[in-house]
Each structure stands twice: as structure tokens, then as C-alpha cells.
Amino acid sequence: MNVGEKQIVARDYLETPIGLLEVTVREGRVIGVHFVEEREEPLQPEDPVLQQALRQLAEYFGGERREFRLPLELRGTAFQKKVWNELRRIPFGTTRSYVQVAAVLGNPRAVRAVGAAN
């Protein structure tokens, strides 16, 4: 999802073992966590939901967290939201193929669409 500057309420960054993450929050909900190459100027880095997201991500990468408890704003098609909600049900430490997710959603031929939703 491309997020325009006018939509972003808060933004900050977290260095992780797998790259630099940009976390964006709008109206008390996380709207994006993306890998980026460079930092931009943080926007409202003191935002409480942004700080909570950064803390939980740091705990996850530090091996201290297995579940995230953050308010999310899922923006996408009805199908994308179904995929994302199904992905949220996958227990920590386990994996599911796109084929498996498509089957659970009742549309075993939607493998590519599941992959694209990721």
C-alpha cells in the first residue's frame, strides 16, 4: 500500500536483524510496516501506538514476543482482508503455503491471489 504524506499521522523506524522497518500509524491504528532502504524524518515519533508498535517489534526480534497486540487498520479488498485474517490465525513458529491458505478460504484455485495479498 502506498501511503501519501498527507495520510500519515506518525512514522518512525526500527533497525532489525533483517533490515530497516518503517512503521506508520494513523488515528491510533497501525497502517503499515514496511522494509525500506532509507529513513525519512520521523513524524510524531512520540505517538503512543507508534511507540507500542516499535516496542513490540523490538521484543519480537529480541526473542521475547510471539504475539502482537496492536490496533490495525486493514485496508484492501474483501479477499485481501480474508487472506490477512487467515494469516493472523497461523500459530507462532508454523508455516502455511499459499495453497493451504487458499484451501482454507474455500478457493483452492486462488493460490496466486493469496500470494499477491501477502
Side-chain angles (χ1 to χ4, degrees):
M1 168 173 56
N2 292 331
V3 180
E5 284 295 319
K6 291 181 181 179
Q7 295 177 334
I8 296 173
V9 173
R11 170 184 65 212
D12 209 347
Y13 300 87
L14 179 69
E15 284 286 349
T16 75
I18 58 174
L20 180 63
L21 286 178
E22 177 184 74
V23 179
T24 53
V25 171
R26 179 178 56 223
E27 296 177 3
R29 296 187 176 279
V30 176
I31 61 170
V33 178
H34 304 279
F35 287 105
V36 296
E37 296 293 321
E38 301 178 356
R39 294 173 187 258
E40 294 184 35
E41 188 69 29
L43 299 172
Q44 299 188 28
E46 70 286 344
D47 180 273
V49 173
L50 178 62
Q51 288 303 309
Q52 182 181 19
L54 293 169
R55 183 178 61 254
Q56 288 187 28
L57 285 163
E59 291 168 356
Y60 173 81
F61 285 108
E64 303 166 20
R65 177 174 289 276
R66 293 181 170 209
E67 253 180 51
F68 292 91
R69 299 196 184 279
L70 296 165
L72 305 176
E73 181 180 320
L74 301 178
R75 297 180 75 194
T77 67
F79 180 78
Q80 288 172 323
K81 289 177 184 179
K82 284 181 184 180
V83 171
W84 299 333
N85 284 323
E86 184 57 34
L87 295 176
R88 293 172 70 187
R89 290 185 187 95
I90 299 171
F92 179 85
T94 62
T95 60
R96 298 288 187 276
S97 69
Y98 297 159
V99 170
Q100 291 170 311
V101 173
V104 168
L105 295 176
N107 192 349
R109 299 183 74 191
V111 176
R112 284 183 168 207
V114 168
N118 275 309

